[in-house]
Amino acid sequence: MQESRRSLLRTIAGAVAAFSIPTSAIGGQDPFPKPPSPMHPGEDEPPANPNAKSPTKVRLEENQKDIKKDIEKLFDLASQLKQQIEKTDATAVLSLAMVKKAEEIERLARQIKERAKG
């Protein structure tokens, strides 16, 4: 009688263990597979809102606004330098203020160029 109880307990314990192991651990297929997500190659995540702008596009738009603002400033500086040069005598040496303004124009032009490259 002891042997029959032990064998009954072993059978029950084995059955419980067999049903408690997930099917993925055994290596079987999922009986209810998830449908494939509608992602395009190269995308990490699906878009949350199709009308929302991507972070890259937002960054590019901000960059374009900054470039336009810098170009306006560059135009103003170049206009000021032109006015100063027209007021000075052509035979005179350029003033330090004019040289500094020309350096500032050059620095701003390089900054615009680098921002335009991306």
Side-chain angles (χ1 to χ4, degrees):
M1 182 129 168
Q2 280 295 60
E3 284 300 317
S4 64
R5 283 185 187 170
R6 284 185 185 163
S7 65
L8 178 64
L9 286 176
R10 282 188 199 139
T11 306
I12 292 173
V16 168
F19 286 114
S20 65
I21 297 175
T23 57
S24 61
I26 296 172
Q29 278 190 325
D30 188 6
F32 304 105
K34 295 179 184 176
S37 62
M39 291 180 55
H40 301 287
E43 287 186 6
D44 292 338
E45 297 177 5
N49 185 355
N51 295 333
K53 294 181 180 177
S54 69
T56 306
K57 188 167 183 163
V58 170
R59 186 172 25 111
L60 289 174
E61 288 176 353
E62 289 174 0
N63 194 19
Q64 186 176 2
K65 288 177 186 176
D66 290 341
I67 289 173
K68 285 182 180 181
K69 182 178 67 171
D70 286 345
I71 288 175
E72 288 292 326
K73 185 177 179 182
L74 180 66
F75 179 76
D76 290 339
L77 289 172
S79 298
Q80 291 171 9
L81 181 62
K82 182 180 181 231
Q83 289 172 357
Q84 287 178 352
I85 290 176
E86 287 174 351
K87 290 178 185 177
T88 60
D89 186 17
T91 59
V93 178
L94 295 177
S95 71
L96 185 60
M98 292 169 64
V99 172
K100 287 190 177 196
K101 191 169 292 280
E103 288 175 349
E104 185 179 357
I105 290 170
E106 183 180 6
R107 180 190 55 78
L108 188 58
R110 284 188 179 142
Q111 185 179 9
I112 292 169
K113 179 182 174 184
E114 289 300 316
R115 201 174 272 162
K117 283 183 180 178

mmCIF file of all heavy atoms in Angstrom, residues 71-89:
data_model
loop_
_atom_site.group_PDB
_atom_site.id
_atom_site.type_symbol
_atom_site.label_atom_id
_atom_site.label_comp_id
_atom_site.label_asym_id
_atom_site.label_seq_id
_atom_site.Cartn_x
_atom_site.Cartn_y
_atom_site.Cartn_z
ATOM 1 N N ILE A 71 21.291 84.128 -40.426
ATOM 2 C CA ILE A 71 21.493 84.794 -41.716
ATOM 3 C C ILE A 71 21.022 86.246 -41.646
ATOM 4 O O ILE A 71 21.667 87.143 -42.207
ATOM 5 C CB ILE A 71 20.786 84.009 -42.847
ATOM 6 C CG1 ILE A 71 21.549 82.709 -43.111
ATOM 7 C CG2 ILE A 71 20.670 84.842 -44.112
ATOM 8 C CD1 ILE A 71 20.900 81.790 -44.115
ATOM 9 N N GLU A 72 19.930 86.484 -40.933
ATOM 10 C CA GLU A 72 19.472 87.868 -40.752
ATOM 11 C C GLU A 72 20.528 88.679 -39.997
ATOM 12 O O GLU A 72 20.836 89.815 -40.366
ATOM 13 C CB GLU A 72 18.138 87.899 -39.984
ATOM 14 C CG GLU A 72 16.961 87.424 -40.790
ATOM 15 C CD GLU A 72 16.622 88.363 -41.929
ATOM 16 O OE1 GLU A 72 16.779 89.589 -41.791
ATOM 17 O OE2 GLU A 72 16.205 87.856 -42.987
ATOM 18 N N LYS A 73 21.097 88.069 -38.968
ATOM 19 C CA LYS A 73 22.134 88.748 -38.189
ATOM 20 C C LYS A 73 23.372 88.984 -39.054
ATOM 21 O O LYS A 73 23.985 90.058 -38.998
ATOM 22 C CB LYS A 73 22.495 87.904 -36.965
ATOM 23 C CG LYS A 73 23.469 88.556 -36.039
ATOM 24 C CD LYS A 73 23.716 87.696 -34.812
ATOM 25 C CE LYS A 73 24.727 88.335 -33.879
ATOM 26 N NZ LYS A 73 24.999 87.478 -32.717
ATOM 27 N N LEU A 74 23.734 88.004 -39.874
ATOM 28 C CA LEU A 74 24.877 88.139 -40.777
ATOM 29 C C LEU A 74 24.651 89.275 -41.765
ATOM 30 O O LEU A 74 25.555 90.078 -42.032
ATOM 31 C CB LEU A 74 25.108 86.816 -41.521
ATOM 32 C CG LEU A 74 26.265 86.762 -42.504
ATOM 33 C CD1 LEU A 74 27.590 86.896 -41.779
ATOM 34 C CD2 LEU A 74 26.233 85.451 -43.281
ATOM 35 N N PHE A 75 23.450 89.358 -42.284
ATOM 36 C CA PHE A 75 23.119 90.435 -43.231
ATOM 37 C C PHE A 75 23.239 91.795 -42.556
ATOM 38 O O PHE A 75 23.784 92.742 -43.143
ATOM 39 C CB PHE A 75 21.711 90.223 -43.793
ATOM 40 C CG PHE A 75 21.284 91.282 -44.751
ATOM 41 C CD1 PHE A 75 21.778 91.301 -46.048
ATOM 42 C CD2 PHE A 75 20.397 92.275 -44.363
ATOM 43 C CE1 PHE A 75 21.389 92.293 -46.950
ATOM 44 C CE2 PHE A 75 20.006 93.263 -45.250
ATOM 45 C CZ PHE A 75 20.504 93.273 -46.537
ATOM 46 N N ASP A 76 22.737 91.894 -41.319
ATOM 47 C CA ASP A 76 22.819 93.165 -40.598
ATOM 48 C C ASP A 76 24.277 93.555 -40.345
ATOM 49 O O ASP A 76 24.660 94.727 -40.532
ATOM 50 C CB ASP A 76 22.062 93.088 -39.269
ATOM 51 C CG ASP A 76 20.556 93.012 -39.456
ATOM 52 O OD1 ASP A 76 20.062 93.403 -40.533
ATOM 53 O OD2 ASP A 76 19.868 92.554 -38.516
ATOM 54 N N LEU A 77 25.090 92.598 -39.915
ATOM 55 C CA LEU A 77 26.499 92.886 -39.649
ATOM 56 C C LEU A 77 27.228 93.299 -40.923
ATOM 57 O O LEU A 77 28.030 94.241 -40.915
ATOM 58 C CB LEU A 77 27.187 91.662 -39.023
ATOM 59 C CG LEU A 77 26.810 91.325 -37.590
ATOM 60 C CD1 LEU A 77 27.411 89.988 -37.186
ATOM 61 C CD2 LEU A 77 27.263 92.424 -36.645
ATOM 62 N N ALA A 78 26.951 92.597 -42.023
ATOM 63 C CA ALA A 78 27.590 92.943 -43.293
ATOM 64 C C ALA A 78 27.161 94.333 -43.755
ATOM 65 O O ALA A 78 27.984 95.101 -44.280
ATOM 66 C CB ALA A 78 27.257 91.891 -44.346
ATOM 67 N N SER A 79 25.905 94.666 -43.561
ATOM 68 C CA SER A 79 25.417 96.001 -43.934
ATOM 69 C C SER A 79 26.102 97.078 -43.097
ATOM 70 O O SER A 79 26.500 98.136 -43.621
ATOM 71 C CB SER A 79 23.909 96.089 -43.761
ATOM 72 O OG SER A 79 23.263 95.172 -44.594
ATOM 73 N N GLN A 80 26.248 96.832 -41.792
ATOM 74 C CA GLN A 80 26.917 97.794 -40.915
ATOM 75 C C GLN A 80 28.378 97.983 -41.328
ATOM 76 O O GLN A 80 28.888 99.103 -41.369
ATOM 77 C CB GLN A 80 26.844 97.327 -39.462
ATOM 78 C CG GLN A 80 25.464 97.371 -38.867
ATOM 79 C CD GLN A 80 25.416 96.691 -37.504
ATOM 80 O OE1 GLN A 80 26.436 96.333 -36.940
ATOM 81 N NE2 GLN A 80 24.201 96.521 -36.968
ATOM 82 N N LEU A 81 29.040 96.859 -41.645
ATOM 83 C CA LEU A 81 30.432 96.943 -42.076
ATOM 84 C C LEU A 81 30.550 97.725 -43.382
ATOM 85 O O LEU A 81 31.451 98.550 -43.553
ATOM 86 C CB LEU A 81 31.022 95.540 -42.224
ATOM 87 C CG LEU A 81 32.484 95.453 -42.652
ATOM 88 C CD1 LEU A 81 33.381 96.110 -41.607
ATOM 89 C CD2 LEU A 81 32.895 94.008 -42.863
ATOM 90 N N LYS A 82 29.638 97.490 -44.288
ATOM 91 C CA LYS A 82 29.652 98.204 -45.565
ATOM 92 C C LYS A 82 29.491 99.701 -45.347
ATOM 93 O O LYS A 82 30.196 100.512 -45.963
ATOM 94 C CB LYS A 82 28.538 97.672 -46.479
ATOM 95 C CG LYS A 82 28.515 98.317 -47.841
ATOM 96 C CD LYS A 82 27.404 97.755 -48.695
ATOM 97 C CE LYS A 82 27.458 98.430 -50.046
ATOM 98 N NZ LYS A 82 26.212 98.976 -50.479
ATOM 99 N N GLN A 83 28.576 100.090 -44.464
ATOM 100 C CA GLN A 83 28.361 101.507 -44.169
ATOM 101 C C GLN A 83 29.603 102.134 -43.545
ATOM 102 O O GLN A 83 29.985 103.256 -43.887
ATOM 103 C CB GLN A 83 27.156 101.681 -43.243
ATOM 104 C CG GLN A 83 25.834 101.389 -43.914
ATOM 105 C CD GLN A 83 24.682 101.381 -42.921
ATOM 106 O OE1 GLN A 83 24.871 101.542 -41.723
ATOM 107 N NE2 GLN A 83 23.468 101.188 -43.437
ATOM 108 N N GLN A 84 30.261 101.383 -42.653
ATOM 109 C CA GLN A 84 31.470 101.913 -42.011
ATOM 110 C C GLN A 84 32.589 102.087 -43.034
ATOM 111 O O GLN A 84 33.321 103.085 -43.005
ATOM 112 C CB GLN A 84 31.939 100.986 -40.889
ATOM 113 C CG GLN A 84 31.085 101.026 -39.654
ATOM 114 C CD GLN A 84 31.568 100.042 -38.591
ATOM 115 O OE1 GLN A 84 32.450 99.239 -38.836
ATOM 116 N NE2 GLN A 84 30.955 100.128 -37.415
ATOM 117 N N ILE A 85 32.723 101.143 -43.950
ATOM 118 C CA ILE A 85 33.773 101.224 -44.963
ATOM 119 C C ILE A 85 33.498 102.379 -45.920
ATOM 120 O O ILE A 85 34.419 103.082 -46.346
ATOM 121 C CB ILE A 85 33.915 99.880 -45.709
ATOM 122 C CG1 ILE A 85 34.520 98.850 -44.771
ATOM 123 C CG2 ILE A 85 34.759 100.018 -46.957
ATOM 124 C CD1 ILE A 85 34.622 97.459 -45.342
ATOM 125 N N GLU A 86 32.237 102.605 -46.262
ATOM 126 C CA GLU A 86 31.897 103.710 -47.161
ATOM 127 C C GLU A 86 32.184 105.058 -46.517
ATOM 128 O O GLU A 86 32.511 106.029 -47.202
ATOM 129 C CB GLU A 86 30.428 103.617 -47.576
ATOM 130 C CG GLU A 86 30.157 102.493 -48.560
ATOM 131 C CD GLU A 86 28.676 102.314 -48.870
ATOM 132 O OE1 GLU A 86 27.810 102.939 -48.212
ATOM 133 O OE2 GLU A 86 28.369 101.526 -49.774
ATOM 134 N N LYS A 87 32.096 105.156 -45.190
ATOM 135 C CA LYS A 87 32.343 106.415 -44.480
ATOM 136 C C LYS A 87 33.826 106.708 -44.330
ATOM 137 O O LYS A 87 34.219 107.853 -44.170
ATOM 138 C CB LYS A 87 31.689 106.374 -43.096
ATOM 139 C CG LYS A 87 30.183 106.412 -43.139
ATOM 140 C CD LYS A 87 29.621 106.331 -41.744
ATOM 141 C CE LYS A 87 28.103 106.253 -41.766
ATOM 142 N NZ LYS A 87 27.547 106.090 -40.413
ATOM 143 N N THR A 88 34.634 105.657 -44.337
ATOM 144 C CA THR A 88 36.067 105.881 -44.126
ATOM 145 C C THR A 88 36.767 106.172 -45.442
ATOM 146 O O THR A 88 36.294 105.822 -46.520
ATOM 147 C CB THR A 88 36.734 104.645 -43.471
ATOM 148 O OG1 THR A 88 36.562 103.522 -44.327
ATOM 149 C CG2 THR A 88 36.148 104.379 -42.113
ATOM 150 N N ASP A 89 37.910 106.787 -45.306
ATOM 151 C CA ASP A 89 38.733 107.122 -46.467
ATOM 152 C C ASP A 89 39.402 105.839 -46.966
ATOM 153 O O ASP A 89 39.873 105.016 -46.184
ATOM 154 C CB ASP A 89 39.784 108.162 -46.063
ATOM 155 C CG ASP A 89 40.587 108.659 -47.239
ATOM 156 O OD1 ASP A 89 40.150 108.463 -48.397
ATOM 157 O OD2 ASP A 89 41.662 109.229 -47.005
#
